[in-house]
Structures are given as C-alpha cells and as structure tokens.
C-alpha cells in the first residue's frame, strides 16, 4: 500500500489518523490544509490548486488527508486505499472546539504558517451541516472508488479507528 487518502468531516480526526498511519507505514504525510490555505487564511486559486493536487498525487507514496471535494476524484484515482471517517456529528463538533482551545493563538501542525487556529459561526455551521450537505456525495464517491478497484474503509466509531491502527501496527510488525 503506497497511497492512502483520508477524508471526512472537519474534526473527524483525518490529520491525526494520517500522522499515525504515516509513522506505522513510513509514508510521507500530506495535509491538504497546509497547501490550500495561505497565511491569514487566504484560499488558493482553483488553477493553482489543480496544479498542486496533480503534483502531490503523482508522487509514488503518500498519505493525504483532506476533503476539498472539487479535486477529490483526482486523489481517489491515484489512491490505493480510501478511508472515510464517518464519525458522529457531536464528536466532530467537540473536536473542533477542543482544538480551538488547544491551539489558541497558535498554528496547528497540519496548517500553513500564518493561519492561527480560529473558530467562527460559519465554520461551526459548516461542520454541523456536513452530514446533510456532504455525506451522501462522499458515500457515493466511496462506491465509485470501490468500483474502480480501490480498497475502501468507512469508519464510523472511535473504536473502529483504534482497531484499524492496532491492526496496521500488528501487520507492520509481522512483515
């Protein structure tokens, strides 16, 4: 397994899982937020973003975490394994508030410098509405990925995430 894509709601644990799998599999981890957000939360233009995605996905090995639905299919095409963190809304909400407190006046390790952790009403609404707005589209993309012969995992509980990590560590120790 050389290329792993991790998607899901903000606050679902994509970046944390990417880091943990990266350590286990010794694969480079790419946090899309680092590339998309320029200092002071300025978005990357579509044309530049498409070039960045093309460059990142052409690498032979990676773990990429992040949604960015407009370019998700390009990442799915190159991935060997696609993991959807389909965790409960309440947990994602809790985590976005928790990281806001943890990284007060700081930049998270998975963000670009100059993007201090913040939370505003628009982001809270975005996370809250993720299941209604994006979940079904994401699930259909998972079906598409499976039909393309990709390995697909949909994790819906923290226990399933822990079991995945445990299983991957055990597998790695025995190979």
């Amino acid at each position: 397994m050389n290329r792993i894509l991790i998607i899901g709601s903000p606050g679902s644990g994509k970046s944390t899982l990417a880091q943990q799998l990266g350590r286990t599999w010794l694969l480079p981890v790419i946090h899309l937020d680092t590339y998309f957000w320029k200092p002071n939360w300025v978005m990357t233009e579509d044309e530049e973003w498409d070039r960045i995605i093309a460059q990142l996905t052409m690498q032979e090995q990676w773990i990429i975490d992040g949604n960015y639905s407009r370019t998700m299919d390009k990442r799915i095409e190159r991935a060997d394994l696609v993991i959807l963190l389909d965790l409960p809304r309440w947990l994602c909400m809790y985590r976005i508030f928790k990281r806001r407190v943890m990284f007060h006046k700081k930049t998270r390790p998975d963000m670009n410098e100059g993007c201090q952790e913040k939370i505003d009403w628009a982001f809270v609404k975005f996370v809250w509405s993720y299941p209604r707005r994006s979940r079904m589209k994401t699930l259909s993309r998972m079906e598409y990925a499976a039909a393309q012969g990709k390995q697909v995992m949909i994790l819906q509980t923290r226990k399933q995430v822990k079991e995945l990590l445990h299983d991957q560590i055990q597998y790695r120790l025995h190979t």
Side-chain angles (χ1 to χ4, degrees), residues 19-33:
Q19 288 291 3
Q20 291 167 328
L21 289 175
R23 282 192 298 272
T24 300
W25 285 99
L26 305 177
L27 292 173
V29 174
I30 299 167
H31 302 293
L32 290 183
D33 284 344

Side-chain angles (χ1 to χ4, degrees), residues 34-132:
T34 304
Y35 293 88
F36 184 79
W37 293 106
K38 296 179 181 187
N40 297 313
W41 295 96
V42 173
M43 290 188 257
T44 298
E45 297 290 328
D46 286 352
E47 192 174 301
E48 181 183 356
W49 184 240
D50 292 344
R51 280 194 306 273
I52 290 168
I53 292 298
Q55 289 172 344
L56 293 173
T57 58
M58 290 314 294
Q59 297 176 31
E60 286 305 309
Q61 293 186 316
W62 46 256
I63 297 175
I64 294 178
D65 78 80
N67 289 331
Y68 300 98
S69 60
R70 193 177 66 74
T71 59
M72 190 179 296
D73 291 338
K74 293 180 187 324
R75 286 175 275 131
I76 288 172
E77 286 175 20
R78 288 283 295 153
D80 301 316
L81 167 64
V82 183
I83 300 172
L84 169 60
L85 295 178
D86 189 22
L87 295 167
R89 176 188 301 175
W90 67 265
L91 180 60
C92 296
M93 294 296 293
Y94 167 76
R95 286 176 172 174
I96 66 165
F97 285 104
K98 179 182 172 186
R99 74 181 182 204
R100 171 60 178 92
V101 171
M102 287 176 55
F103 293 98
H104 179 67
K105 293 189 178 185
K106 297 177 194 165
T107 300
R108 290 192 332 252
D110 57 321
M111 289 298 295
N112 199 354
E113 275 303 315
C115 293
Q116 287 187 357
E117 187 61 23
K118 67 176 186 165
I119 199 162
D120 57 23
W121 184 243
F123 185 62
V124 170
K125 284 183 359 185
F126 180 82
V127 176
W128 182 259
S129 65
Y130 180 87
R132 178 179 30 82

